[in-house]
Amino acid sequence: MAELATIARPYAEALFKAAGADGARMKEQLSALATLAGDAALRQFADNPKVAATQVFDLVAGVALQKGLSLDTKVGNLLRTMLDNGRLAALPEVAAQFAALVNEKTGVSDATIESAFPIQGAQLAEVVATLEKRFGRKLNARVDVKPELIGGIRVIVGDEVLDTSVKARLEQMKIALTA
């Protein structure tokens, strides 16, 4: 949604400028807050006109604290400002744009590795090293288990996709046989 991206951009850029060297730490906090903001019950509570922005902030900060997340002052100020302006719905997009800015500054890209089976430890390190050579940059990898892939992996880095899954190969064979 272009409108949400347009709304989120100034917030993300302002936090990025204020973050300085703490960008990576704030990226994790903002990501956790974005997950909380995506909760339908919280959004319904925040959208209630009888509820003040300070009440919503206290609730979000309390839930974050229960989950072991203490908010940086700058992240807290961003959350307060967004709540005061009725922009809680834009928080996930702010987190995404902020992460992109931090990644650009550090030269790291987020990668999602989809696999039919769990990948952990040394095996994950080996896969990430190979993928870093393939994509030509450092990767911050996250593994999602998707049994429907049957075997192999699908890697998503930004707008690039590398699909070596059995499912994709079967689809290619199907197309070749029906052509």
Side-chain angles (χ1 to χ4, degrees):
M1 177 186 274
E3 182 178 317
L4 205 53
T6 303
I7 291 169
R9 186 173 301 108
Y11 291 106
E13 289 174 352
L15 183 61
F16 180 72
K17 287 177 185 172
D22 293 334
R25 186 173 49 81
M26 288 185 191
K27 176 178 144 182
E28 300 303 320
Q29 291 180 11
L30 202 54
S31 176
L33 283 179
T35 303
L36 288 175
D39 183 58
L42 175 64
R43 295 269 285 282
Q44 184 178 8
F45 178 72
D47 290 342
N48 186 337
K50 294 181 182 179
V51 176
T54 55
Q55 291 174 302
V56 177
F57 178 81
D58 292 341
L59 176 68
V60 172
V63 170
L65 194 58
Q66 284 180 341
K67 293 189 179 226
L69 178 71
S70 72
L71 296 179
D72 183 276
T73 307
K74 294 170 185 166
V75 174
N77 289 341
L78 173 79
L79 180 60
R80 270 194 186 88
T81 302
M82 291 185 73
L83 289 170
D84 288 343
N85 294 323
R87 302 290 194 200
L88 184 63
L91 190 58
E93 181 64 24
V94 171
Q97 289 188 22
F98 181 77
L101 290 169
V102 170
N103 287 346
E104 185 179 323
K105 179 181 177 186
T106 59
V108 176
S109 294
D110 289 330
T112 302
I113 301 172
E114 297 176 346
S115 171
F117 305 99
I119 303 174
Q120 299 171 352
Q123 187 181 22
L124 178 61
E126 185 179 319
V127 169
V128 169
T130 303
L131 291 172
E132 286 176 345
K133 288 179 187 174
R134 166 73 170 80
F135 286 99
R137 57 187 171 258
K138 183 124 177 71
L139 298 176
N140 180 17
R142 175 178 59 102
V143 178
D144 289 343
V145 176
K146 303 261 177 143
E148 64 269 13
L149 295 178
I150 305 169
I153 62 173
R154 179 180 5 200
V155 183
I156 304 162
V157 179
D159 61 353
E160 297 177 77
V161 178
L162 173 65
D163 195 344
T164 62
S165 67
V166 173
K167 181 180 179 182
R169 290 181 185 180
L170 288 172
E171 288 293 324
Q172 290 171 350
M173 289 172 58
K174 178 183 171 185
I175 291 169
L177 289 172
T178 58

